[in-house]
Amino acid sequence: MNRILLAALSAAVAMTLPARDAAAQRRITPFVGGGLATGTGDLGENTDSGWLAFAGIDLPLGVGPGLTFGVTASYARVPYKGGFDEFTGVPALFGELGYVIGAESSRIVKPYLRDGAGVQLRKYDPGTTGFREQSDGGLAFSAGGGLQFSLAPASLFLGARFVSDADAGVLGF
């Protein structure tokens, strides 16, 4: 995980170093979000809907309008069915490419896409079941899309986000 974080931060710093004129037009854009989440794959068995929260930064790449590179950190909490208060927490960290379709258009509503790679950790909390805690993690990917609503001075994004490794993941809205 440390190597991926170091690589993502190095790439973000490297993109800020080119020419001064280009740097004047590049802005780091922070973002936060959250919503409803459901487990997928192995995590989708016997679980209820939970929640997802995320935050990150984006930096325009400068190769075309609407194309960005960003780093996103997220946390999802997916509870299990039953009265034992058990759940799986899924923290994740991703380097992602984002694209707003028609970014230079004057339209208020524009579609967007986002894809990335990183790491996720699934940590099982047994609640009052008497089982022991377990965790599993590794490389994972993220994908998302939706609509951007341009409202000065900020933008609102509504969409879906999917985060998964080979066995299980989270789908958030």
Side-chain angles (χ1 to χ4, degrees), residues 40 52 74 90-94 96 119-120 140-143 161-165 168-172:
T40 63
L52 167 73
S74 65
V90 185
L93 181 65
F94 293 94
E96 298 178 319
V119 293
Q120 81 171 7
F141 68 93
S142 65
R161 177 175 174 79
F162 178 67
V163 174
S164 185
D165 58 20
V170 175
L171 176 61

Side-chain angles (χ1 to χ4, degrees), residues 129-158:
T129 62
F131 294 120
R132 64 183 171 92
E133 291 185 1
Q134 298 177 19
S135 62
D136 183 24
L139 296 177
F141 68 93
S142 65
L147 298 174
Q148 173 190 0
F149 296 85
S150 299
L151 310 166
S155 293
L156 174 70
F157 291 80
L158 295 177

Side-chain angles (χ1 to χ4, degrees), residues 3-162:
R3 287 186 210 163
I4 293 173
L5 177 60
L6 182 60
L9 291 175
S10 298
V13 169
M15 287 186 288
T16 63
L17 296 178
R20 279 189 194 163
D21 293 336
Q25 294 180 358
R26 293 182 183 193
R27 292 185 202 168
I28 293 176
T29 305
F31 59 88
V32 295
L36 183 67
T38 185
T40 63
D42 290 346
L43 189 54
E45 297 175 21
N46 297 316
T47 57
D48 283 329
S49 294
W51 54 268
L52 167 73
F54 57 90
I57 58 170
D58 271 349
L59 181 67
L61 288 177
V63 293
L67 188 61
T68 61
F69 171 78
V71 177
T72 303
S74 65
Y75 180 81
R77 186 177 191 275
V78 179
Y80 286 87
K81 295 178 182 176
F84 296 104
D85 298 326
E86 61 183 322
F87 68 91
T88 295
V90 185
L93 181 65
F94 293 94
E96 298 178 319
L97 290 175
Y99 181 63
V100 175
I101 299 168
E104 292 184 329
S105 165
S106 61
R107 293 178 301 174
I108 293 174
V109 180
K110 302 169 191 159
Y112 77 91
L113 301 170
R114 196 163 179 90
D115 293 312
V119 293
Q120 81 171 7
L121 174 68
R122 292 185 315 255
K123 185 175 181 188
Y124 170 71
D125 184 319
T128 58
T129 62
F131 294 120
R132 64 183 171 92
E133 291 185 1
Q134 298 177 19
S135 62
D136 183 24
L139 296 177
F141 68 93
S142 65
L147 298 174
Q148 173 190 0
F149 296 85
S150 299
L151 310 166
S155 293
L156 174 70
F157 291 80
L158 295 177
R161 177 175 174 79
F162 178 67

